[in-house]
Amino acid sequence: MIMTKKTTYILAILGVPCAAVLLFAIWVNMHILSYGVHIVPASHIHTSSTMLIFGGGMERDGSMSVAQRERVNMAISLYEQGRVSRMIFTGDDGARRFNEVDAMAAHAIAHGVSEDVIEIDRHGYNTYTSCYRAAHEKDLKRLVVISQEFHLRRIIYFCNRFGIDTRGVAADLGKQGIKGVVWSTNIREKLARVKGWFQMEITKPGPLMFYK
């Protein structure tokens, strides 16, 4: 089918802004991905570090997700190596969806982590909020953050932009289904980086808050 000049003009009008949006999204993703230089091996973490471990969602039955368990397991491993003096679990306290933070703390304690080093941030309802609270409410200046590698770059971007000297340690991804690989670790995260850039550079919202 031969396109008329009018159709070609309309497609051009629509195509230019769509291309601009796509290029912008690619630039944002590349910018945030550049913070991957701050992801280091566990062996590079200094002793007596403060660690912020991010919630990774819960299963429908209230058990920990694979991603969340792997994050806590990495924190436990670093604790066993004598690299942790303060372990902060940040996530949902059940006011939004599930109680991530108590499940994470219980898992750590069950595997030998002393309750004396554990703190809980009960209002880390999203990544931006967890980093905001670490900077503005806990007044942290240096921090080791733990999550999976796909998520760490956005965490490090937020925390560094909030003024915290941040290093990341990647937890194992664990066995993910097709939905997890395609959506959570790829499409969703790419969109979250664009949203995160707008939050940090443009809208600058306060921390997200829910109440039980």
Side-chain angles (χ1 to χ4, degrees):
M1 182 172 60
I2 299 175
M3 291 192 297
T4 64
K5 287 185 178 180
K6 182 177 180 180
T7 303
T8 303
Y9 179 74
I10 291 172
L11 290 175
I13 291 294
L14 294 174
V16 170
C18 288
V21 169
L22 179 60
L23 289 172
F24 173 73
I26 291 171
W27 176 82
V28 168
N29 270 268
M30 294 301 293
H31 175 63
I32 293 178
L33 285 171
S34 71
Y35 282 80
V37 297
H38 299 294
I39 299 174
V40 300
S43 59
H44 289 198
I45 299 302
H46 298 298
T47 58
S48 301
S49 293
T50 296
M51 303 201 172
L52 188 65
I53 303 96
F54 285 71
M58 306 286 285
E59 303 296 344
R60 293 193 178 192
D61 63 1
S63 61
M64 296 172 67
S65 68
V66 172
Q68 181 163 275
R69 186 176 294 106
E70 293 293 353
R71 295 173 190 185
V72 182
N73 286 343
M74 174 55 73
I76 293 168
S77 176
L78 291 167
Y79 174 81
E80 292 172 344
Q81 296 171 38
R83 301 180 189 277
V84 182
S85 63
R86 187 179 181 190
M87 188 181 291
I88 306 170
F89 294 109
T90 181
D92 193 344
D93 62 349
R96 189 179 190 187
R97 293 189 182 95
F98 293 99
N99 189 339
E100 297 177 309
V101 288
D102 285 333
M104 295 163 73
H107 183 75
I109 292 168
H111 287 78
V113 177
S114 171
E115 294 184 43
D116 293 339
V117 306
I118 291 176
E119 295 182 30
I120 295 178
D121 172 16
R122 296 188 175 278
H123 304 294
Y125 297 116
N126 60 19
T127 303
Y128 175 92
T129 296
S130 291
C131 295
Y132 182 104
R133 289 172 59 82
H136 294 286
E137 299 188 26
K138 294 187 178 297
D139 197 30
L140 297 173
K141 303 302 181 186
R142 296 178 62 87
L143 193 58
V144 175
V145 294
I146 298 177
S147 186
Q148 278 73 30
E149 189 169 346
F150 75 90
H151 184 211
L152 273 178
R153 293 169 173 85
R154 183 159 53 96
I155 294 171
I156 297 169
Y157 163 70
F158 281 143
C159 287
N160 270 288
R161 292 287 285 115
F162 278 129
I164 305 172
D165 182 11
T166 308
R167 298 293 178 269
V169 175
D172 291 338
L173 184 59
K175 187 176 181 180
Q176 301 286 316
I178 292 176
K179 179 181 178 182
V181 173
V182 174
W183 173 248
S184 297
T185 66
N186 284 284
I187 298 173
R188 180 181 180 276
E189 182 59 27
K190 288 179 174 64
L191 295 173
R193 290 174 193 144
V194 176
K195 177 184 176 182
W197 186 89
F198 273 100
Q199 287 176 311
M200 182 58 67
E201 310 299 340
I202 306 296
T203 61
K204 303 182 187 300
L208 191 63
M209 185 60 68
F210 293 88
Y211 297 95
K212 290 186 177 180

